[in-house]
Amino acid sequence: MPTWLVVVATSLVMAVLVVASVMIGAIDVSVADLVAGDDDAWDVLLLSRVPRTTAILLAGSAMAVAGLVMQMLVRNRFVEPSTVGTTEAAGLGLLLVTILAPAMPLPGKIGVAAAFALAGTLLFLAVLRAVPVRSIVTVPLLGMMLAGVIGAVATWIAYRYDLLQTLGAWMTGDFSGIVAGRMELLWVTAALAVVAYVMADRFTVAGLGKDTATALGLPYGVVMALGLGLVAVVSAVVVVVVGGLPFLGLVVPNVASLLVGDNLRRTLPWVAVGGAGLVLLCDVLGRVLRYPYEIPIGVVMGVVGSLVFLYLLLRAPAGRSGA
């Protein structure tokens, strides 16, 4: 299929999803009301629907890009922030700062969550280096076990401080509470996605391994730190603003790789668009399946993502893979 036709088809699909996201909801907003200048309809559109759709586009594209960067650096197609403990560590950091310093400004809480997310990722890499990896599927399984341990610690602490519902809200993605003034921090993730695109070639070289990257003149440690830091900050911001989006950074990069290849610079824009589109689709499904009630996006993403994850695992060739 010609590239221009793919671009046109993708643009049309995204346009349909954006319109659906803006127009569908518990409160009816029709084109006729908007044209007639209905103040209530315009308030719903500008204060709720547009910010929500914008947050979906930003969070979806950024988390998909973060997943792709992590897969490149770890050299395994089955890792992403929600399968290696990064997201759970961010939630743990947010929980601790809420208990110990509840008056801390939001940027400070995001900084703490990002630091914990980075620590969780580094812990995963340390475990990965310490455990013999004989199969490509061992890596995500180790990550999910580590994520389970971190999640259990967070759950225990939340139980002791009567914050189980709060923790659950953080870890389950939900865009229903997004209104104007509550999603602006997600623009940070958009800036980091641009950084990832600029650094795409360096991440690709780093993904070849430390020895090869060093031989090619790349400052391997610096690039790894930048890439993992990028993933940590994106994960922390998304968890704080909208909650966890499981398997997003795993599904979209793998599908994009099957369709357009493994060239990171060429694949990354498609991954960003695919991530935004998948989250839009799942969010619309969550709003219409039990209309006028809403299923949180994290639940829908968990079902869709886990099914695709299982399919990818079953079709994966045997072999060693790891950082």
Side-chain angles (χ1 to χ4, degrees):
M1 182 180 295
T3 302
W4 68 268
L5 189 57
V6 175
V7 172
V8 171
T10 302
S11 300
L12 288 175
V13 171
M14 289 295 295
V16 170
L17 289 174
V18 167
V19 171
S21 177
V22 170
M23 301 305 293
I24 294 174
I27 299 176
D28 291 330
V29 176
S30 65
V31 176
D33 292 334
L34 297 174
V35 173
D38 186 304
D39 290 339
D40 291 336
W42 277 103
D43 285 344
V44 172
L45 180 71
L46 298 178
L47 298 180
S48 177
R49 301 286 174 78
V50 171
R52 175 176 181 148
T53 301
T54 303
I56 291 171
L57 295 172
L58 293 174
S61 58
M63 284 302 295
V65 169
L68 178 60
V69 171
M70 177 172 280
Q71 290 173 18
M72 182 64 65
L73 296 179
V74 179
R75 293 184 289 159
N76 188 286
R77 291 186 181 279
F78 300 118
V79 299
E80 66 107 30
S82 70
T83 63
V84 302
T86 302
T87 300
E88 287 74 13
L92 175 60
L94 182 58
L95 175 66
L96 291 177
V97 76
T98 300
I99 294 172
L100 300 176
M104 180 178 291
L106 187 57
K109 291 182 178 180
I110 290 177
V112 173
F116 270 76
L118 180 59
T121 306
L122 294 176
L123 178 60
F124 163 72
L125 293 178
V127 171
L128 191 60
R129 292 190 180 96
V131 176
V133 178
R134 295 184 172 84
S135 171
I136 192 173
V137 302
T138 304
V139 176
L141 293 179
L142 285 173
M144 295 174 74
M145 290 171 62
L146 177 61
V149 172
I150 297 174
V153 171
T155 299
W156 180 78
I157 295 174
Y159 172 77
R160 293 294 302 271
Y161 287 90
D162 197 23
L163 290 172
L164 277 177
Q165 290 185 332
T166 302
L167 179 64
W170 289 336
M171 302 313 297
T172 302
D174 188 4
F175 290 92
S176 62
I178 296 296
V179 293
R182 289 196 58 187
M183 50 73 57
E184 283 69 19
L185 281 171
L186 287 173
W187 289 107
V188 173
T189 65
L192 293 176
V194 173
V195 172
Y197 182 77
V198 173
M199 297 288 294
D201 294 336
R202 292 175 176 83
F203 290 148
T204 299
V205 175
L208 298 175
K210 182 176 181 179
D211 294 338
T212 302
T214 303
L216 293 174
L218 184 78
Y220 179 79
V222 174
V223 174
M224 285 289 292
L226 177 61
L228 296 178
L230 183 151
V231 172
V233 174
V234 168
S235 301
V237 173
V238 171
V239 166
V240 170
V241 179
V242 302
L245 299 175
F247 300 111
L248 176 62
L250 185 149
V251 170
V252 176
N254 276 281
V255 173
S257 176
L258 292 174
L259 296 176
V260 299
D262 293 326
N263 184 296
L264 184 61
R265 184 172 294 280
R266 182 177 61 192
T267 305
L268 196 144
W270 291 104
V271 168
V273 173
L278 181 58
V279 178
L280 272 174
L281 176 61
C282 290
D283 186 66
V284 170
L285 287 175
R287 282 188 263 179
V288 301
L289 288 176
R290 298 191 67 238
Y291 184 86
Y293 305 104
E294 182 173 332
I295 302 173
I297 179 68
V299 175
V300 182
M301 281 295 308
V303 173
V304 174
S306 60
L307 291 175
V308 178
F309 182 33
L310 180 61
Y311 167 76
L312 293 172
L313 284 177
L314 292 176
R315 70 184 296 273
R320 290 180 61 89
S321 180

